């Protein structure tokens, strides 16, 4: 029953977009990560002429492009969806690895971990977890007491290495 003059039922949706983040009914983050992967792959395609082996840019400039144009897409609103399954997050890590391989013209036998270590780039899943942990830690020590309670999250991750 509705007391308003115009009443309509709000239809159920499996996914809803709010502030650029896709929330699905069971919080699996499938749609969110699929959209992020699609958007970052499109950006990678646009940037390919700047980052491939024939590019005149040096490696430092290519890494700056990654950090300013690709990684923000991959990590937008991470505190919201950072608890997604490792399988889903791996889809995003693949894009990071793809970019780094193209930018460095790395041979096929070079491991991604070695590439990330040499370039001083955190693995994406680790970066997402660190960023989210830092966000929640800072939010709980904020000056506003209401904010402190709103963001309290006990024991975020038992980080497995």
């Amino acid at each position: 029953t509705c007391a308003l003059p115009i009443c309509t039922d709000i239809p159920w949706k499996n996914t809803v977009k709010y502030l650029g983040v896709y929330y699905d009914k069971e919080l699996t983050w499938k749609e969110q990560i699929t959209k992020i992967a699609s958007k970052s792959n499109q950006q990678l395609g646009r940037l390919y002429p700047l980052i491939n082996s024939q590019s005149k840019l040096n490696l430092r400039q290519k890494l700056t492009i990654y950090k300013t144009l690709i990684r923000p897409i991959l990590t937008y609103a991470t505190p919201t969806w950072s608890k997604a399954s490792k399988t889903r997050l791996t889809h995003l890590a693949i894009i990071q690895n793809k970019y780094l391989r193209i930018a460095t013209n790395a041979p096929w036998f070079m491991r991604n971990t070695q590439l990330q270590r040499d370039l001083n780039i955190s693995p994406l899943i680790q970066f997402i977890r660190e960023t989210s942990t830092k966000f929640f830690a800072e939010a709980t020590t904020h000056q506003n007491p209401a904010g402190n309670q709103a963001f309290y999250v006990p024991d975020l991750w038992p980080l497995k290495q």
Side-chain angles (χ1 to χ4, degrees):
T1 62
C2 179
L4 299 174
I6 300 173
C7 294
T8 58
D9 290 337
I10 299 173
W12 282 96
K13 299 274 185 178
N14 288 332
T15 306
V16 64
K17 180 181 177 183
Y18 182 69
L19 297 176
V21 178
Y22 289 86
Y23 295 85
D24 61 69
K25 196 162 82 173
E26 298 183 16
L27 294 179
T28 62
W29 306 107
K30 181 180 181 181
E31 177 110 9
Q32 172 68 13
I33 291 174
T34 302
K35 297 286 185 181
I36 291 171
S38 174
K39 200 183 278 190
S40 53
N41 274 324
Q42 287 174 354
Q43 187 76 323
L44 181 60
R46 283 188 219 109
L47 294 172
Y48 185 80
L50 289 174
I51 63 168
N52 67 32
S53 59
Q54 285 78 37
S55 172
K56 302 282 191 245
L57 296 178
N58 63 38
L59 185 57
R60 184 172 174 215
Q61 292 166 327
K62 292 176 183 181
L63 291 177
T64 300
I65 289 172
Y66 167 75
K67 290 177 182 178
T68 57
L69 298 176
I70 300 289
R71 191 162 64 184
I73 295 170
L74 292 172
T75 59
Y76 175 73
T78 54
T80 308
W81 53 266
S82 61
K83 295 284 277 181
S85 70
K86 187 173 181 179
T87 305
R88 296 211 191 283
L89 295 177
T90 301
H91 291 294
L92 301 179
I94 289 169
I95 296 167
Q96 178 191 41
N97 297 334
K98 188 175 170 182
Y99 181 94
L100 296 177
R101 287 188 168 282
I102 292 169
T104 59
N105 198 24
W108 63 271
F109 54 83
M110 187 171 198
R111 294 188 175 272
N112 292 325
T113 53
Q114 181 65 42
L115 193 58
Q116 292 162 353
R117 194 175 321 120
D118 291 348
L119 297 173
N120 199 24
I121 300 276
S122 297
L124 191 66
I125 295 173
Q126 178 184 335
F127 181 82
I128 287 170
R129 290 188 172 165
E130 287 171 356
T131 304
S132 299
T133 302
K134 182 180 175 186
F135 170 81
F136 285 114
E138 288 177 4
T140 57
T141 59
H142 194 271
Q143 297 171 1
N144 184 348
N148 294 350
Q149 293 174 355
F151 286 109
Y152 176 71
V153 179
D155 194 19
L156 273 179
W157 291 279
L159 287 178
K160 296 177 185 173
Q161 297 296 339

